[in-house]
Amino acid sequence: MLYRNRFLVLLALAGLLAFLSLSLQFFHLIPVSTTKNGGSSKSRKRIMPDPVTEPPTVDPVYEALLYCNIPSVAEHSMEGHAPHHYKLVSVHVFIRHGDRYPLYAIPKTKRPEIDCTLVAGRKPYHPKLEAFVSHMSKGSGASFESPLNSLPLYPNHLLCEMGELTQTGVVQHLQNGQLLRDIYLRKHKLLPNNWSSEQLYLETTGKSRTLQSGLALLYGFLPDFDWKKIYFKHQPSALFCSGSCYCPLRNHYLEKEQRRQYLLRLKNNDLERTYGEMAKIVDIPTKQLRAANPIDSMLCHFCHNVSFPCSRSGCLGMEHFKVIKTHQIEDERERHEKPLYFGYSLLGAHPILNQTVNRMQRAAAGWTEELFTLYSAHDVTLSPVLSALGLLEARFPRFAARLVFELWQDRQKPSEHSVRILYNGVDVTFHTSFCHDFHKRSPKPMCPLENLVRFVKRDMFVALDGSSTNYYDACHGEGA
């Protein structure tokens, strides 16, 4: 009898789970309205699929979900992991800004209605969101390098402006900052409780989305920081090349790379057919639609689970989105296989990598300033750095991507310093070109600082043409 009762209970539970599963699938198909106030719109499926484990083959929808980087549960990361006899000396963080409103609009379509105010009752949410807004409202007198002092410190528009950071973008970096705080401050005591402004180095481009992303991460890292201790430097170039931006050969590589991208688009018949279908729907020439970069706007619809635009002639749909996203993935793969982008990356990333190495060397020599460095940047900043480091399998920088360089000292051998490199929380040190085989020859869990220094000061130029020995000669070399 007892066995029979247990069987009936299990049978009832199985039935309940099956019902819930079918219900979830059913509700996933409920049409959503694109209008803010619940007005009528064309009924179509929700476009946000359920995230699942990584598919065995390239899936454009899965890749787009990773790109959106919607904040959910607390992230598990490998930052700060080291044997107990290693001491953390300095940390250098490169971030891409968080989720933003599109930079381009699809002509003759209604812009996605995304609210760029920060609201506690709206998802995604972070416990520090209200405190962040309150603290930013007190920073109107903050002193930043011009023209940063004219930018708003947090997004605050009922309808997002082009390129504006969203609440999702703020939450992404509050989460990043808190994660780094738990590891680097609470665990490793990188900064003292009475830290000074000299121990931070903060730099951002002149876009509100990068400044606000940097401030959100900084607030998660140092809650309620003293505004008098905060100073963001302005970087005019997305490559963060400072006074070393003139590089004719880098520009030559970029022009050839852009030509490669153009020819790849021409060869993709599915892409051209898709652009033609979309152009007919919105009643504009195909060339004009292509120039409007529709994937940028469609990604915003996708990441915010808003239906794609419609017209009297029909709707842009998921199949259009998949074709364009698939082409992006193919372009990324071919880009890694060709030498053009690699040459561009070596020259484009050298100035910022050289600055980082110089700071590491000073820290290793006992310098106590600039122990925490933050560069708030763009995908076009991080992507060349990843390529130059030899991280060819790294995915294109998602919203709020982070690339971290850690410098460690061996307490048992204080003169020895090592580095770790992490991308979105994953330790990629031994995937870099300068340290990919070190772990095969040594049991040490990190890469010697000397390897990174030698790579930046010499081997980057050897990889480029084998004859140059410095950045200036490489930039003005053959083909420039």
Side-chain angles (χ1 to χ4, degrees):
M1 181 65 70
L2 181 61
Y3 174 82
R4 183 183 178 192
N5 289 341
R6 287 180 176 175
F7 175 78
L8 291 174
V9 170
L10 290 173
L11 188 62
L13 285 173
L16 178 61
L17 289 173
F19 174 77
L20 288 174
S21 176
L22 288 171
S23 298
L24 288 173
Q25 292 179 46
F26 174 77
F27 284 117
H28 188 66
L29 300 180
I30 293 177
V32 292
S33 170
T34 60
T35 57
K36 181 177 285 189
N37 298 320
S40 63
S41 66
K42 291 187 181 275
S43 294
R44 294 186 318 238
K45 298 178 182 179
R46 288 183 183 270
I47 63 170
M48 182 70 78
D50 296 322
V52 292
T53 55
E54 183 164 357
T57 57
V58 173
D59 181 346
V61 174
Y62 178 82
E63 294 296 325
L65 277 173
L66 294 180
Y67 178 85
C68 296
N69 189 24
I70 304 300
S72 54
V73 298
E75 184 179 355
H76 297 287
S77 70
M78 293 295 292
E79 279 106 339
H81 285 231
H84 70 278
H85 59 88
Y86 278 83
K87 176 188 176 184
L88 185 64
V89 178
S90 67
V91 173
H92 310 264
V93 182
F94 303 68
I95 61 170
R96 184 192 178 189
H97 59 75
D99 177 84
R100 58 156 172 78
Y101 199 70
L103 299 173
Y104 307 93
I106 300 176
K108 294 190 178 181
T109 63
K110 188 176 181 180
R111 291 171 51 189
E113 294 187 356
I114 309 297
D115 187 340
C116 271
T117 57
L118 303 181
V119 180
R122 188 174 65 231
K123 293 183 179 180
Y125 175 71
H126 191 278
K128 294 187 182 298
L129 184 64
E130 295 97 325
F132 168 75
V133 174
S134 175
H135 199 66
M136 292 303 104
S137 66
K138 301 172 186 175
S140 57
S143 176
F144 297 149
E145 187 172 23
S146 180
L148 301 178
N149 47 18
S150 63
L151 297 177
L153 302 184
Y154 61 99
N156 190 26
H157 291 101
L158 283 174
L159 179 61
C160 295
E161 296 184 346
M162 304 301 279
E164 186 174 10
L165 197 69
T166 66
Q167 176 162 317
T168 301
V170 171
V171 170
Q172 286 166 336
H173 279 303
L174 286 173
Q175 191 167 292
N176 275 343
Q178 184 169 328
L179 183 149
L180 299 183
R181 172 180 174 80
D182 290 342
I183 296 168
Y184 295 138
L185 297 187
R186 290 178 175 169
K187 181 178 179 180
H188 290 289
K189 314 297 181 186
L190 176 66
L191 300 177
N193 291 332
N194 61 338
W195 56 273
S196 66
S197 58
E198 289 76 18
Q199 291 171 312
L200 303 179
Y201 181 84
L202 311 171
E203 190 168 354
T204 178
T205 60
K207 303 294 184 181
S208 63
R209 59 184 177 274
T210 49
L211 175 61
Q212 293 166 6
S213 292
L215 286 168
L217 186 144
L218 193 63
Y219 188 81
F221 187 64
L222 294 167
D224 300 320
F225 55 74
D226 184 347
W227 280 106
K228 295 178 182 177
K229 295 182 179 181
I230 303 301
Y231 185 76
F232 270 91
K233 291 196 66 177
H234 172 241
Q235 174 52 245
S237 169
L239 289 175
F240 282 70
C241 47
S242 299
S244 305
C245 291
Y246 181 65
C247 186
L249 186 58
R250 182 198 68 218
N251 296 339
H252 176 72
Y253 278 124
L254 181 59
E255 290 171 3
K256 285 196 167 186
E257 165 61 17
Q258 290 170 339
R259 176 68 177 171
R260 180 203 63 78
Q261 292 176 4
Y262 172 72
L263 293 176
L264 185 65
R265 286 198 300 270
L266 291 183
K267 290 190 296 184
N268 191 327
N269 293 329
D270 282 347
L271 183 67
E272 287 303 304
R273 175 184 53 77
T274 298
Y275 276 140
E277 290 178 0
M278 295 170 65
K280 287 182 180 178
I281 290 173
V282 297
D283 192 27
I284 61 173
T286 304
K287 185 181 294 186
Q288 184 181 350
L289 176 74
R290 192 187 302 112
N293 197 9
I295 189 63
D296 188 56
S297 180
M298 295 182 82
L299 275 167
C300 178
H301 286 81
F302 180 86
C303 293
H304 289 266
N305 204 15
V306 175
S307 296
F308 294 128
C310 292
S311 73
R312 293 180 180 179
S313 302
C315 296
L316 306 185
M318 180 59 78
E319 291 308 312
H320 300 130
F321 177 77
K322 286 180 180 178
V323 170
I324 302 176
K325 186 61 185 173
T326 298
H327 174 75
Q328 274 195 330
I329 297 169
E330 292 172 352
D331 176 69
E332 184 80 4
R333 182 170 59 244
E334 182 176 291
R335 186 171 71 177
H336 288 314
E337 294 171 353
K338 304 289 184 180
L340 298 174
Y341 189 75
F342 182 59
Y344 167 77
S345 297
L346 289 171
L347 294 171
H350 181 267
I352 195 170
L353 287 175
N354 193 48
Q355 294 171 38
T356 301
V357 162
N358 289 341
R359 286 196 179 89
M360 286 184 167
Q361 288 181 301
R362 291 194 293 267
W367 207 44
T368 58
E369 297 181 356
E370 297 180 359
L371 301 181
F372 181 81
T373 299
L374 175 63
Y375 294 104
S376 189
H378 305 264
D379 52 2
V380 292
T381 313
L382 268 65
S383 188
V385 174
L386 293 169
S387 178
L389 292 173
L391 299 172
L392 301 183
E393 296 181 2
R395 281 185 165 94
F396 188 79
R398 67 191 189 188
F399 284 133
R402 65 181 189 277
L403 178 66
V404 178
F405 290 66
E406 298 174 346
L407 177 65
W408 297 82
Q409 180 187 44
D410 189 341
R411 288 190 176 97
Q412 297 175 351
K413 299 178 180 179
S415 62
E416 293 189 5
H417 289 79
S418 301
V419 296
R420 291 177 77 226
I421 297 178
L422 304 103
Y423 184 48
N424 295 329
V426 178
D427 189 339
V428 295
T429 309
F430 296 124
H431 294 275
T432 60
S433 56
F434 64 87
C435 213
H436 68 277
D437 61 349
F438 178 76
H439 65 292
K440 299 176 183 177
R441 297 180 280 106
S442 172
K444 293 186 177 181
M446 304 184 199
C447 191
L449 173 60
E450 292 77 19
N451 282 35
L452 178 59
V453 172
R454 184 169 57 249
F455 171 73
V456 173
K457 302 293 185 180
R458 186 196 70 185
D459 293 348
M460 289 181 75
F461 309 122
V462 173
L464 187 66
D465 60 16
S467 60
S468 302
T469 58
N470 60 70
Y471 179 69
Y472 180 86
D473 289 345
C475 282
H476 296 78
E478 187 176 348

